[in-house]
Amino acid sequence: MSITTQELSAQQASGASAHRGTFGWYELMTTDPAAAKTFYSSVVSWTTSDLNSPGMQYSTFNIGNVGVAGLMQLPKEAGPTPAWIGYIHVDNVDAYA
């Protein structure tokens, strides 16, 4: 299943992603966050915002003013393969664990 940036933007803006069982957030962990910013900005016209904190660089990909995904450096312990991760909304994490 794929989703267009327009559909994702509408879903995020409407709060539809807050429904149980739907994807609510995505993150890209990669070995080259700067290249990922350039690539996705060029290919799908996403903008980025930096939300860095001490010891961690974190950015969001945005469609307009709506954050649609996170971006971070792939931790060394995760291995060498960059990956997209999708987070699914649930009402109670403990109940679904």
Side-chain angles (χ1 to χ4, degrees):
M1 178 180 172
S2 65
I3 187 168
T4 67
T5 56
Q6 292 83 7
E7 290 168 330
L8 183 57
S9 179
Q11 179 186 46
Q12 292 283 343
S14 72
S17 63
H19 298 297
R20 180 180 40 166
T22 63
F23 284 96
W25 189 250
Y26 305 87
E27 284 184 328
L28 173 59
M29 294 194 307
T30 181
T31 56
D32 193 346
K37 285 181 183 182
T38 300
F39 176 79
Y40 287 102
S41 293
S42 173
V43 173
V44 292
S45 301
W46 287 349
T47 59
T48 59
S49 299
D50 294 327
L51 306 172
N52 300 329
S53 61
M56 182 178 179
Q57 294 181 338
Y58 191 84
S59 300
T60 59
F61 288 116
N62 310 298
I63 299 173
N65 293 327
V66 178
V68 295
L71 170 66
M72 62 187 286
Q73 178 74 37
L74 181 69
K76 290 181 180 156
E77 61 272 9
T81 306
W84 277 99
I85 300 170
Y87 295 89
I88 299 172
H89 180 80
V90 295
D91 298 325
N92 182 331
V93 172
D94 293 330
Y96 289 94

